[in-house]
């Protein structure tokens, strides 16, 4: 899929964004710029990791989700719920209570995303047995897959070409319902997502043509709906939890957390979470500094999916609850009964196409031109102060220098260069203010006592 | 384009800095990933050699649109027998260095494998100059 067609789940609400530098400074791919007082995401640079959304002080980032009523377009409305959703609720709320409320609000079936983990695990091991590059990198986290595409294009061959649980389970449950005589077009599969990257992966999958998920619902939205339902019914449910599903094993319950995959794959395995840690490690892999690792489980969020930006609860409490749950089911081993007959079907369907690199680092496709641009960038850096303040609307001086060379910004965007130009009578003070307003919005430097932290904040 | 990096003898945690920086530059000028890998592997080995054997060194890189030329110069013990040093498995690394996972005698042979041209000169008791070229 070309970069232009890449779906992105993260957007900026321009009426809420007041133009600060928090999101721009944390973006691991330098994908954010400020212009006219608002944050803009460079679509083809963004990997949907959600760091900007976590950093925003005014909740200006939002994740586009499918309209909840879209579920009623289907006769059979299936919710695919990941384990971290269950981990949001205190331990006195049972899984069956959660599922029963979900049926009350409109779903006909509630299934767990990690249901197919054992088949995925077997396929990963099959991939490990092949003559492959080392280390193999798990395809579990879609933000990591995209990060590798844009920042580590030389490592795309390391990604294990096996579908993650969301796609595998969607395939399985769809097939299972079909085998019960339900026509395909009457089945609507909706994934309850802990993060924007998973939405993007459903809307524009990497390495597959089309996802078998019909829509995505944000976990924070559904959590509120379910919690209200639980409080409202006070123990008196109107619906049962639905078909009693086999309880998942401890392995499945913990699969989405850090070190969820590593105990079950071959050889020397490492689990690394949080996107900056992942980047540091990928740098080392790319430099061949680390060569004796067989498998890497890389997750963009701290504490993996429990730390997803759409997960409401505290990530450490979520992890603790899921570990307690896993302890409870520690005697359950192996594949869920209903999955066994589908193992061969699923295994065949779990492969994805090789992941294509789409590097956003090159200054020009033509090396000759890129060298010329590099020379210009280095020349610009002679003048820029290296303070990396972000006041120009780019995350650091280096980024501004590149933007200038790519004709997307000007040297006078730098506030320090402006002072030097004023001193040398090359820029009028009024003009300098106009430049600042172009980046930070009109009247942005006027006194405003209602802004964050000011004496009349929020009034 | 000229780039210069200092390498500190004995500081293994900093070995790899120059190769990381050069890698970033090469990605920006759109060099093929496989060629970048060869260059980075060779340069990293070169850096480790300075860290493991010398007191200090410098990495000088000259990049244009056709090739990269790298010159690693160090102040250190120098190499007694260059032919022997180029042999796989031959190493003069100390026990301490080997304990850290380095010094298997694969450094120079690995550099040779990953470059298109290599020149090694050394004065015993003074230092070593390693020059290498890789064509894009």
């Amino acid at each position: 899929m070309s970069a232009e067609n890449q779906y992105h789940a993260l957007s900026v609400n321009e009426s809420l964004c007041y133009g600060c530098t928090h999101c721009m400074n944390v973006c691991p791919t330098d994908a954010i710029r400020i212009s006219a007082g608002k944050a803009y995401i460079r679509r083809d640079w963004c990997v949907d990791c959600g760091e900007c959304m976590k950093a925003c002080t005014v909740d200006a980032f939002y994740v586009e989700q499918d309209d909840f009523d879209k579920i009623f377009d289907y006769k059979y409305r299936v919710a695919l719920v990941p384990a971290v959703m269950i981990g949001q609720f205190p331990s006195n709320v049972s899984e069956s209570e959660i599922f029963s409320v979900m049926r009350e609000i409109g779903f006909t079936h509630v299934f767990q995303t990690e249901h197919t983990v054992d088949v995925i695990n077997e396929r990963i091991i099959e991939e490990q047995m092949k003559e492959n590059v080392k280390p193999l990198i798990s395809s579990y986290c879609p933000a990591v897959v995209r990060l590798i595409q844009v920042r580590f294009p030389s490592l795309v061959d390391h990604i294990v070409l096996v579908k993650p649980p969301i796609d595998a389970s969607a395939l399985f449950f769809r097939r299972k319902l079909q085998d019960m005589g339900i026509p395909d077009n009457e089945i609507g599969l909706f994934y309850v997502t802990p993060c924007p990257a998973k939405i993007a992966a459903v809307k524009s999958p990497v390495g597959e043509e089309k996802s078998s998920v019909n829509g995505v619902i944000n976990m924070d939205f559904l959590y509120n709906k379910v919690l209200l339902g639980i409080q409202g019914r006070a123990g008196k449910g109107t619906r049962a939890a639905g078909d009693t599903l086999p309880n998942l094993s401890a392995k499945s319950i913990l699969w989405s957390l850090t070190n969820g995959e590593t105990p079950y794959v071959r050889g020397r395995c490492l689990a690394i979470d949080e996107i900056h840690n992942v980047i540091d490690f990928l740098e080392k892999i790319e430099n061949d500094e680390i060569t004796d690792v067989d498998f890497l489980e890389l997750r963009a969020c701290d504490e993996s999916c429990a730390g997803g930006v759409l997960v409401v609860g505290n990530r450490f409490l979520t992890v603790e609850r899921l570990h307690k749950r896993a302890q409870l089911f520690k005697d359950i081993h192996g594949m869920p009964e209903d999955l066994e007959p589908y193992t061969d079907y699923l295994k065949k369907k779990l492969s994805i196409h090789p992941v294509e690199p789409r590097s956003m680092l090159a200054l020009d496709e033509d090396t000759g031109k890129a060298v010329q641009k590099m020379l210009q960038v280095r020349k610009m850096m002679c003048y820029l102060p290296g303070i990396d303040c972000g006041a120009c609307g780019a995350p650091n001086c280096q980024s501004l220098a590149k933007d200038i060379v790519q004709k997307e910004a000007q040297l006078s965007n730098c506030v320090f260069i402006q002072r030097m130009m004023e001193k040398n009578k090359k820029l009028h003070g009024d003009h300098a203010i106009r430049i600042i307003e172009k980046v930070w919005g009109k009247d942005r430097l006027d006194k405003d006592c209602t802004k964050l932290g000011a004496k009349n904040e929020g009034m | 384009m000229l780039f210069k990096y200092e390498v500190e003898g004995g500081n293994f945690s900093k070995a790899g800095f120059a190769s990381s920086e050069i890698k970033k530059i090469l990605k920006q000028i759109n060099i093929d990933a496989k060629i970048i890998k060869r260059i980075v592997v060779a340069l990293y080995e070169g850096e480790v050699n300075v860290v493991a054997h010398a007191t200090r060194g410098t990495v000088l890189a000259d990049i244009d649109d056709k090739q990269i030329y790298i010159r690693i110069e160090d102040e250190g013990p120098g190499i007694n027998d260059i032919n022997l040093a180029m042999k796989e498995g031959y190493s003069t690394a100390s026990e301490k260095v080997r304990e850290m996972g380095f010094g298997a005698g694969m450094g120079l042979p690995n550099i040779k494998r990953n470059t298109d041209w290599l020149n090694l000169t050394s004065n015993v008791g003074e230092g070593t100059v390693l020059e290498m070229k890789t064509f894009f």
Side-chain angles (χ1 to χ4, degrees):
Chain A
M1 180 165 292
S2 70
E4 301 81 61
N5 296 334
Q6 286 278 337
Y7 176 88
H8 283 279
L10 282 162
S11 300
V12 180
N13 181 336
E14 291 197 6
S15 63
L16 289 175
C17 175
Y18 72 101
C20 66
T21 57
H22 291 85
C23 56
M24 185 172 79
N25 289 338
V26 297
C27 176
T29 58
D30 286 344
I32 295 178
R33 296 292 182 279
I34 314 293
S35 176
K38 309 290 171 199
Y40 287 98
I41 305 172
R42 290 186 172 172
R43 291 304 197 180
D44 41 5
W45 294 37
C46 170
V47 297
D48 279 302
C49 68
E51 289 296 310
C52 50
M53 195 174 175
K54 288 177 193 165
C56 184
T57 53
V58 292
D59 287 335
F61 285 87
Y62 64 98
V63 172
E64 281 178 51
Q65 61 177 332
D66 288 300
D67 184 8
F68 185 73
D69 285 337
K70 192 182 158 191
I71 71 166
F72 296 103
D73 293 350
Y74 300 89
K75 191 171 171 192
Y76 298 90
R77 304 175 287 274
V78 183
L80 270 176
V81 183
V84 286
M85 171 79 177
I86 316 288
Q88 300 302 290
F89 296 90
S91 49
N92 60 351
V93 176
S94 72
E95 194 175 290
S96 64
E97 200 173 0
I98 296 167
F99 290 176
S100 133
V101 172
M102 286 183 66
R103 281 163 58 83
E104 283 169 19
I105 61 178
F107 291 104
T108 58
H109 298 77
V110 184
F111 294 140
Q112 295 190 63
T113 318
E114 290 84 3
H115 203 92
T116 47
V117 155
D118 291 288
V119 186
I120 294 167
N121 193 180
E122 282 181 19
R123 277 288 287 108
I124 292 174
I125 290 171
E126 282 173 23
E127 291 295 314
Q128 284 195 296
M129 307 303 277
K130 289 180 190 167
E131 276 293 313
N132 254 324
V133 288
K134 266 188 9 177
L136 284 177
I137 299 173
S138 169
S139 61
Y140 178 88
C141 176
V144 168
V145 171
R146 284 167 188 237
L147 175 76
I148 292 173
Q149 284 183 293
V150 303
R151 266 193 73 160
F152 300 94
S154 71
L155 297 179
V156 289
D157 301 342
H158 291 248
I159 298 169
V160 186
L161 299 176
V162 175
K163 285 183 180 154
I166 159 176
D167 295 303
S169 293
L171 273 170
F172 163 63
F173 287 122
R174 183 173 290 280
R175 183 60 183 249
K176 191 179 157 185
L177 292 174
Q178 284 170 350
D179 287 351
M180 286 160 68
I182 299 172
D184 188 49
N185 59 2
E186 291 186 4
I187 305 169
L189 281 167
F190 292 86
Y191 178 61
V192 182
T193 186
C195 72
K198 294 230 172 64
I199 302 185
V202 167
K203 303 286 179 183
S204 60
V206 175
E208 26 175 352
E209 280 83 34
K210 193 177 171 294
S211 168
S212 38
V213 177
N214 299 84
V216 183
I217 295 159
N218 291 353
M219 192 174 287
D220 54 351
F221 171 85
L222 197 71
Y223 170 81
N224 286 332
K225 245 175 138 60
V226 171
L227 194 65
L228 270 176
I230 289 173
Q231 286 165 349
R233 74 214 306 245
K236 292 188 285 290
T238 54
R239 272 176 203 259
D243 307 338
T244 35
L245 286 170
N247 281 320
L248 293 188
S249 62
K251 170 185 176 183
S252 302
I253 291 169
L254 299 178
W255 192 260
S256 66
L257 302 183
T258 304
N259 271 314
E261 298 169 75
T262 51
Y264 307 102
V265 281
R266 300 267 167 91
R268 186 173 171 217
C269 312
L270 280 174
I272 292 153
D273 60 9
E274 205 280 323
I275 195 152
H276 297 95
N277 296 335
V278 169
I279 291 172
D280 284 351
F281 207 83
L282 288 174
E283 291 280 354
K284 289 189 187 299
I285 296 291
E286 205 177 40
N287 295 357
D288 253 6
E289 284 176 51
I290 298 163
T291 49
D292 49 354
V293 174
D294 298 293
F295 185 86
L296 286 177
E297 172 200 300
L298 306 177
R299 310 280 178 84
C301 292
D302 184 22
E303 296 294 332
S304 294
C305 292
V309 69
L310 299 174
V311 175
V312 191
N314 178 284
R315 58 189 182 280
F316 302 107
L317 293 177
T318 303
V319 170
E320 187 213 18
R321 282 184 200 129
L322 288 177
H323 274 284
K324 275 189 181 158
R325 256 189 89 69
Q327 185 62 26
L328 216 58
F329 295 112
K330 66 178 192 305
D331 295 328
I332 299 176
H333 294 289
M335 219 171 269
E337 247 171 61
D338 61 337
L339 182 61
E340 260 172 52
Y342 292 89
T343 314
D344 290 338
Y345 163 77
L346 213 50
K347 268 193 179 173
K348 272 185 228 133
K349 291 249 175 189
L350 281 189
S351 301
I352 54 175
H353 301 305
V355 176
E356 294 293 328
R358 48 179 192 92
S359 173
M360 290 297 143
L361 300 165
L363 289 166
D364 202 291
E365 268 187 42
D366 178 89
T367 295
K369 285 182 190 158
V371 169
Q372 288 310 313
K373 287 184 179 176
M374 189 83 217
L375 285 166
Q376 289 172 34
V377 168
R378 283 162 58 84
K379 201 174 148 197
M380 282 312 154
M381 288 304 290
C382 301
Y383 298 96
L384 293 171
I387 292 172
D388 294 341
C389 65
C392 58
N396 45 57
C397 296
Q398 190 86 34
S399 292
L400 177 63
K402 285 182 207 163
D403 287 357
I404 295 168
V405 169
Q406 302 287 28
K407 300 195 167 42
E408 286 165 12
Q410 287 171 331
L411 192 57
S412 58
N413 279 35
C414 170
V415 292
F416 299 97
I417 298 279
Q418 284 170 23
R419 292 308 296 265
M420 290 306 284
M421 288 166 81
E422 281 180 76
K423 185 185 146 203
N424 298 327
K425 309 266 188 276
K426 286 192 174 148
L427 183 75
H428 193 268
D430 292 343
H431 189 180
I433 293 292
R434 281 202 300 278
I435 296 171
I436 288 175
E437 286 187 332
K438 214 172 142 187
V439 176
W440 295 101
K442 204 168 160 9
D443 305 328
R444 175 59 196 271
L445 299 181
D446 292 356
K447 183 182 176 189
D448 172 12
C449 295
T450 63
K451 77 161 80 79
L452 213 63
K455 68 174 181 181
N456 298 333
E457 179 187 338
M459 286 183 209
Chain B
M1 285 185 286
L2 285 179
F3 300 86
K4 191 182 171 192
Y5 308 95
E6 299 292 326
V7 186
E8 192 187 329
N11 189 351
F12 282 93
S13 65
K14 282 280 166 63
F17 178 76
S19 43
S20 268
E21 291 300 305
I22 291 294
K23 181 182 74 180
K24 284 179 201 155
I25 308 286
L26 295 173
K27 279 182 175 181
Q28 291 181 59
I29 61 167
N30 210 25
I31 300 303
D32 182 83
K34 290 191 179 71
I35 299 174
I36 295 183
K37 187 144 202 175
R38 295 180 68 215
I39 297 164
V40 166
V41 167
L43 178 52
Y44 177 66
E45 293 282 9
E47 281 183 80
V48 169
N49 279 345
V50 175
V51 173
H53 299 285
T55 48
R56 59 168 298 276
T58 51
V59 172
L60 196 76
D62 189 0
I63 304 172
D64 61 31
D65 59 342
K66 302 278 187 304
Q67 65 164 42
I68 179 168
Y69 164 82
I70 297 172
R71 180 187 167 95
I72 306 173
E73 212 176 308
D74 72 42
E75 291 167 18
I79 301 170
N80 255 325
D81 185 336
I82 287 181
N83 285 334
L84 208 52
M86 293 303 294
K87 261 191 172 162
E88 279 190 20
Y90 178 79
S91 175
T92 58
S94 67
E95 200 53 45
K96 209 175 129 207
V97 167
R98 283 166 199 258
E99 271 170 22
M100 295 179 73
F102 300 96
M106 300 305 285
L108 283 167
N110 207 8
I111 293 173
K112 191 169 186 195
R113 249 198 313 279
N114 282 295
T115 47
D116 296 326
W117 175 85
L118 181 137
N119 185 39
L120 185 63
T121 49
S122 184
N123 285 325
V124 175
E126 287 174 29
T128 303
V129 177
L130 174 67
E131 294 172 289
M132 49 201 185
K133 277 184 198 170
T134 304
F135 305 110
F136 300 149

